[in-house]
Amino acid sequence: MSYVQECVEIISQHIKNFKPKVGLILGSGLGQFCDNIDTKSSIDFKDLPGFPVAGVGGHAGKLLFGEVEGINVVVMQGRAHYYEHGRADIMATPIQVLSALGCQSLVLTNAAGSTIKEASPGSVMLITDHINMTGVSPLFGADGNERFVNMVDAYNPKLSDAMRSAAKAIDINLHEGVYAWFSGPQFETPAEIRAVKTLGANAVGMSTVPEVILARHQGIPLCALSVITNYAAGMSETDITHEQTIAFASKAADTVEKLLNSYLKSQ
Ligand code: HPA
């Protein structure tokens, strides 16, 4: 039996007939959203074969099932990153499991540095497209023609519109832009930031892009949000640290919670 089948069996025993409609992946410091879920069931990643054992501060490592705004959701409270294991496909099993559970769409969130002055720390950006700066893919080694995934409109226009409307409805200023994926775990150099800024990146981070590719491979539509936790390297006098990432993500967590609630209402 594959990891995915094993996970689905374990999860089915926990959640019985509960059917999640939307899957959410919460980035660093954004776990607060879970307090607002009417939780029916929760499973530690360590009890799910193929799920990453979370190691980065700010990530709980739990799969939560529950209801938000009348919508059945499954939430990954925490994720794994390429830099933790050197495996770009570290999120393959979780994404395949979300698909197998019947999720019709995903919302991915992350913490990111901003390359544009307008998007200051504490603000939120809708990701409209990405640039993969790592040169790696979670689909290395995959077979079949499906591996040649079309990445046009990877950030689903309809779901992105729903997120724009959700922000408008509650008067949140939602920035928009292109996210550049760096491997990490080191932060970028100022020269790297100048380079990606020239290439068209508005935010930089160490996650999400492999999940987007994997979700496209599974055929699940998605939208994605970056919580801006800092200005990117070389743009401000403040040192960039992981502690700052967690602190600013937590500060923005209220905004993200309201935005996600407003979005889920429309789903
Ligand atoms: N760079 C990369 N990843 C990040 C940053 C950053 O500036 N901020 C939060 N995650």
Side-chain angles (χ1 to χ4, degrees):
M1 196 163 29
S2 73
Y3 278 167
V4 176
Q5 285 168 315
E6 273 186 66
C7 288
V8 170
E9 281 207 0
I10 295 166
I11 291 167
S12 303
Q13 282 165 16
H14 274 260
I15 66 173
K16 309 280 189 280
N17 292 327
F18 180 88
K19 271 238 160 274
K21 185 172 182 197
V22 179
L24 296 103
I25 300 181
L26 301 180
S28 303
L30 297 173
Q32 180 195 308
F33 177 73
C34 296
D35 302 341
N36 134 74
I37 302 174
D38 177 10
T39 306
K40 314 278 183 213
S41 192
S42 131
I43 309 172
D44 286 346
F45 289 174
K46 69 174 168 42
D47 297 325
L48 295 168
F51 268 60
V53 179
V56 185
H59 288 282
K62 271 192 174 112
L63 196 62
L64 259 72
F65 295 86
E67 212 178 288
V68 181
E69 301 290 351
I71 298 290
N72 284 354
V73 297
V74 50
V75 181
M76 276 192 80
Q77 195 180 10
R79 61 149 62 84
H81 306 79
Y82 174 53
Y83 63 74
E84 290 173 69
H85 319 79
R87 279 185 49 204
D89 68 347
I90 192 73
M91 290 290 282
T93 299
I95 299 281
Q96 285 168 28
V97 168
L98 296 183
S99 172
L101 292 172
C103 287
Q104 291 170 23
S105 63
L106 300 181
V107 181
L108 311 179
T109 64
N110 63 37
S114 165
T115 70
I116 49 171
K117 276 275 170 246
E118 309 85 87
S120 55
S123 63
V124 184
M125 190 185 96
L126 177 72
I127 304 178
T128 54
D129 204 346
H130 73 229
I131 303 172
N132 180 351
M133 293 301 293
T134 68
V136 301
S137 167
L139 299 179
F140 283 167
D143 52 19
N145 284 353
E146 307 78 44
R147 78 185 113 164
F148 301 109
V149 170
N150 179 355
M151 294 300 288
V152 176
D153 288 340
Y155 299 82
N156 185 273
K158 254 175 104 171
L159 297 178
S160 298
D161 263 347
M163 194 62 83
R164 289 183 187 100
S165 304
K168 214 167 176 188
I170 54 168
D171 212 13
I172 284 174
N173 181 19
L174 184 63
H175 298 279
E176 295 199 11
V178 173
Y179 174 88
W181 177 37
F182 281 87
S183 73
Q186 74 287 348
F187 287 109
E188 300 73 30
T189 64
E192 285 167 341
I193 295 303
R194 285 193 300 275
V196 287
K197 213 175 153 171
T198 307
L199 294 175
N202 308 110
V204 293
M206 306 174 192
S207 69
T208 308
V209 167
E211 295 149 31
V212 172
I213 298 168
L214 289 162
R216 289 293 275 179
H217 192 227
Q218 293 300 310
I220 319 179
L222 63 92
C223 62
L225 297 173
S226 280
V227 173
I228 303 301
T229 55
N230 55 280
Y231 281 121
M235 291 180 65
S236 119
E237 295 299 311
T238 315
D239 277 348
I240 303 173
T241 63
H242 186 61
E243 289 69 27
Q244 189 198 5
T245 301
I246 302 296
F248 268 87
S250 303
K251 267 193 195 169
D254 261 356
T255 311
V256 173
E257 183 178 321
K258 286 191 190 109
L259 179 56
L260 290 177
N261 285 351
S262 173
Y263 171 83
L264 286 168
K265 243 186 231 175
S266 71
Q267 294 303 291

